[in-house]
Amino acid sequence: MSNTPRMPDRDEIDTLLDDLAKQSVPDPSDDLVARVLADAEAYLPPPGAVTATVPWWRQIVPGIGGWGAVGGLLAATVAGFVIGLGALDPVGADALWSFGYVAYYDADLGLDAFGWALEGG
């Protein structure tokens, strides 16, 4: 038995779809229609009520994943900004990236904002 997929026959699919189209669709019961309409009316505002406008940022925050995602985007933005500024002035970025590693920092090593680019030894 082979595992290769069989290409469907277009005439066979058309025949199946034609058979489905010929079948009658039962009407929904009156009880079902009444329940659907009652549920729909529950979501309607009362007559004469003014709908509250939601600020655009409250609509966007759930769409991107909540406040955790907003925090991650903010952190990535700040990191990108700092890295971008470091690429413009590698001398200032050397001091920033070497914070806490004072014993290993040497301005002659050529450390830059794109990583520990050590030249020589």
Side-chain angles (χ1 to χ4, degrees):
M1 181 178 253
S2 67
N3 291 332
T4 58
R6 184 178 66 89
M7 293 300 292
D9 183 22
R10 290 181 186 261
D11 294 330
E12 181 183 348
I13 292 173
D14 287 340
T15 305
L16 288 173
L17 291 175
D18 288 339
D19 291 342
L20 283 174
K22 290 177 186 175
Q23 292 180 357
S24 63
V25 177
D27 292 331
S29 66
D30 292 336
D31 180 47
L32 176 64
V33 172
R35 286 185 290 151
V36 168
L37 291 176
D39 286 344
E41 286 179 9
Y43 286 100
L44 291 175
V50 178
T51 57
T53 58
V54 179
W56 63 270
W57 60 270
R58 280 195 173 171
Q59 296 173 6
I60 291 176
V61 168
I64 61 173
W67 287 107
V70 172
L73 287 173
L74 182 64
T77 302
V78 169
F81 186 70
V82 168
I83 291 170
L85 286 179
L88 296 176
D89 184 15
V91 175
D94 285 346
L96 179 66
W97 300 129
S98 65
F99 183 70
Y101 300 99
V102 178
Y104 303 109
Y105 179 71
D106 185 7
D108 296 333
L109 290 177
L111 303 176
D112 58 9
F114 298 108
W116 298 97
L118 299 174
E119 295 178 9

